[in-house]
């Protein structure tokens, strides 16, 4: 399952980089970093594929990943409430609420700050800033605490993904 999700993310990144061809590389990785599911992880993978140097890639991907988070923290409950009143979106709203309040969410609630930081920061499928923001919003975690934990989680994810997308390939090329 984990490998399938990682493969799906890589496929999405490759598709996006191919179909956004002609746009500046930096814009491509920024857009990918904004998207749920792919987020910073996909942005850094795309940056590596597109040959964007690590420092600009990190800055662009972190900004792209963090940009939607305040809006999610402030408005997701209202958006979900509205979605439940529509004919076609209520199923998605229900699914998002179940995902955000499931077993992983209870673990986060027990250790709010560190749980959120690790949930966002360890780059596994189904985790990340979008999902972390959704969970802490629906669990009514203090927004200031949640924002800091999410930001630090994004930095942790950035460090881990830099090792995976830049450092390991560089080491392999040295041999």
């Amino acid at each position: 399952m984990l490998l399938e999700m990682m493969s799906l993310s890589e496929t999405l990144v490759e598709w996006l980089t191919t179909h956004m061809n002609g746009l500046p590389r930096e814009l491509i990785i920024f857009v990918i970093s904004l998207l749920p599911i792919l987020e910073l992880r996909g942005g850094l993978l795309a940056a590596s594929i597109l040959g964007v140097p690590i420092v600009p890639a990190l800055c662009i991907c972190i900004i792209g990943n963090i940009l939607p988070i305040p809006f999610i923290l402030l408005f997701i409950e209202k958006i979900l409430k509205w979605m439940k009143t529509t004919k076609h979106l209520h199923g998605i709203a229900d699914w998002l609420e179940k995902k955000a309040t499931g077993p992983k969410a209870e673990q986060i609630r027990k250790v709010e700050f560190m749980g959120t930081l690790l949930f966002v920061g360890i780059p596994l499928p189904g985790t990340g800033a979008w999902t972390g923001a959704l969970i802490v919003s629906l669990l009514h975690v203090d927004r200031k605490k949640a924002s800091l934990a999410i930001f630090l989680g994004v930095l942790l994810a950035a460090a881990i993904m830099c090792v995976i997308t830049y450092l390991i390939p560089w080491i392999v090329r040295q041999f």
Side-chain angles (χ1 to χ4, degrees):
M1 175 77 168
L2 178 62
L3 291 176
E4 289 173 9
M5 291 291 287
M6 290 172 65
S7 177
L8 175 62
S9 293
E10 288 177 13
T11 303
L12 282 170
V13 166
E14 288 176 12
W15 186 87
L16 284 166
T17 54
T18 300
H19 286 82
M20 293 175 84
N21 195 15
L23 294 175
R25 300 176 307 173
E26 293 79 4
L27 180 59
I28 293 170
I29 64 172
F30 179 75
V31 169
I32 290 172
S33 296
L34 281 170
L35 298 174
I37 301 170
L38 296 177
E39 301 187 37
L40 173 129
R41 298 149 171 87
L44 282 174
L45 180 59
S48 176
I49 291 168
L50 295 170
V52 177
I54 192 169
V55 173
L58 264 173
C59 295
I60 293 166
C61 291
I62 288 170
I63 292 168
N65 197 192
I66 288 295
L67 194 61
I69 301 311
F71 300 101
I72 295 169
L73 291 172
L74 292 172
F75 302 117
I76 194 63
E77 288 187 279
K78 290 176 183 163
I79 292 168
L80 289 173
K81 188 175 182 178
W82 170 80
M83 287 172 67
K84 286 182 176 187
T85 66
T86 68
K87 182 178 180 180
H88 301 291
L89 300 176
H90 70 85
I92 296 170
D94 289 339
W95 178 80
L96 285 170
E97 280 189 338
K98 284 179 188 171
K99 182 174 175 71
T101 56
K104 288 180 183 176
E106 283 308 311
Q107 293 170 353
I108 288 175
R109 184 191 300 267
K110 290 177 187 173
V111 288
E112 282 179 1
F113 185 84
M114 193 55 72
T116 303
L117 188 152
L118 293 174
F119 182 85
V120 171
I122 298 175
L124 295 171
T127 68
W130 277 75
T131 309
L134 174 66
I135 291 169
V136 297
S137 289
L138 295 179
L139 293 177
H140 303 286
V141 173
D142 177 69
R143 284 193 181 115
K144 288 180 184 176
K145 237 199 271 191
S147 297
L148 180 59
I150 291 168
F151 178 71
L152 293 174
V154 167
L155 294 181
L156 175 60
I160 292 169
M161 287 306 297
C162 279
V163 169
I164 293 169
T165 58
Y166 283 91
L167 184 60
I168 291 175
W170 179 81
I171 290 171
V172 169
R173 285 191 302 268
Q174 301 309 306
F175 292 103

